[in-house]
Structures are given as structure tokens and as C-alpha cells.
Amino acid sequence: MKATIPGETQPGATDHTPKALNPLKASAAVAAIVLAAASCTTESPAPAASNSCEHAPASTEAKLVSQLLGTDEYKTGYRDDSGLSEKLTDELRQWKPGGTEYTTDVCRFSPKVPRTSGGNTLRVEFYWTSRSNPSKWGRTSGSYYNFNGITGESDETLGKLRVPCSLPGELNGLSKQTLLGADVSNTAYEGPEVNQQARDQQILFLYLMTRKATEALGCENNPLKADPIVKAYTTPEKAAQAGS
């Protein structure tokens, strides 16, 4: 099932058939192709780096970026998925209860034509926080969410999620002491001070981006497998009760 975006509402063919070759020319052409193929190496090219920050124009993520930035024309800056996994696993190895929470900047989106005033960036970041004593929420006036036990919050310019991510092998113990924190900030927002649609769009975008991060990390519990149902609550307590 495709995620629903909150608030959302072929040219003619040309004949390019080549003209037939005469038999002698055709034989020569086939021979040249066979010789060229025989001289080529059999080594396969290296696969391109996977990048969850690049979105197909018709994807839900691309539509949400356009809505959050207020433009269909935007630039993307990113860390590829292998770099993201390596950075986050290195930070988890160094994580200690009560220690500093280091954020990893993953994606940045900005209008191709910068605004002359105000901010211009939609940004996604990840970090690790204690599962028993997580960092405090960043806002007190936003909306709160519960996605099958995954809690989140969003106002018009900042959204947050916390996700349990059980990793295999040597990191299993540390991953079960922590939550994967995910933040999205939007300095390009120019709408009204209270905008529930923008809050819902922002938390949905963060959920989809965090799902890609958990897939890149290889979280064994697959915490964001289900498509999200976006429903806002006025307090974190009400959101928590909705998941119990």
C-alpha cells in the first residue's frame, strides 16, 4: 500500500527504423561486432552507490520535498547509503550512556533558486540516543504521533522520530540499549504559524526517509516495515496511549 500524502490532491511516435543493409555490408557489420565483443573484458563494472536521498519524480518522497520546500525545482545533497551505514555504525560503537549525541547529516534539499531572505534547507539527520533515558523532545507546541509504537513529534519546521533498531553481531548489545533518532528540519517553511498539514507532511517524509536508513543499516527487527497511518495527537501522552 502506497503512503498517502496529507493534503494532496506521450508525444506521438516517430519512425526511427534503420534502413536494411545489403548482405555483404551486413556480414561485415556482424563480424565487427563479434570481434569487438571478443576483445572486451568480462569484468563487470562496479555498481553505483545506493542513494536513498535521490527520488523518482513521481515518488511520494519527491512530492513531499516539493510541498515542504514550496517548489518543484530543488537541489539534493547527500551521503550515499554505504557511507551512512558506516558512519552510523561507527558512532554506535563509540556510544556511551550519558555521552554526547553526535548527529549524522544525511540529506539536504534546497530550492534551485535561493530565497533572498530566510532559510533554504530541508535537512535529514540521524543519531543514537539512550533507550532507557532518551533525549527530550525539541518542541512543546507541536503535534505528536504513534506509528505502531514508534513515537514522533512535528511542528511546522522540525520533526523527530525514535526507532528501535536491533543490529546483528558485535553491535547487537549496543543497539538494544539505544534508539535510532531521526530529525528533519525545514528552514524554508514560510506558511502560517500553525499548519497541521505541514506537520503531517513533515512527519510522513521523516518516516519514509528513516525507513530507508533502517534498511541500509540492516535492522533485524524491521521496525518501519508497515506503511504509516498519519494521525496527530495534542500531547505525547495521548500519542503513547494510542499505541497501547
Side-chain angles (χ1 to χ4, degrees), residues 151-206:
T151 56
E153 70 161 348
S154 182
D155 62 12
E156 289 65 32
T157 60
L158 178 66
K160 289 178 174 286
L161 282 175
R162 296 196 184 109
V163 181
C165 170
S166 298
L167 293 175
E170 60 168 321
L171 293 174
N172 185 259
L174 281 172
S175 68
K176 289 182 177 177
Q177 295 180 53
T178 57
L179 295 168
L180 178 64
D183 288 2
V184 57
S185 61
N186 185 11
T187 61
Y189 178 73
E190 294 183 328
E193 185 176 347
V194 178
N195 185 339
Q196 190 61 54
Q197 180 176 306
R199 295 177 181 186
D200 293 349
Q201 289 172 345
Q202 185 163 246
I203 202 71
L204 173 58
F205 177 66
L206 183 59

Side-chain angles (χ1 to χ4, degrees), residues 2 51-66 74 212:
K2 187 176 180 181
N51 171 29
S52 57
C53 299
E54 293 284 2
H55 309 126
S59 69
T60 300
E61 292 90 338
K63 292 176 182 177
L64 286 166
V65 172
S66 294
Y74 59 84
K212 292 180 180 181

Side-chain angles (χ1 to χ4, degrees), residues 12-19:
T14 302
D15 186 4
H16 294 295
T17 305
K19 295 180 180 179

Side-chain angles (χ1 to χ4, degrees), residues 14 23 38 50 57 90 103 111 114 130 180 187 199 225-226 234:
T14 302
S50 174
D90 284 347
T103 60
S130 170
L180 178 64
T187 61
R199 295 177 181 186
K225 180 179 180 180
T234 55

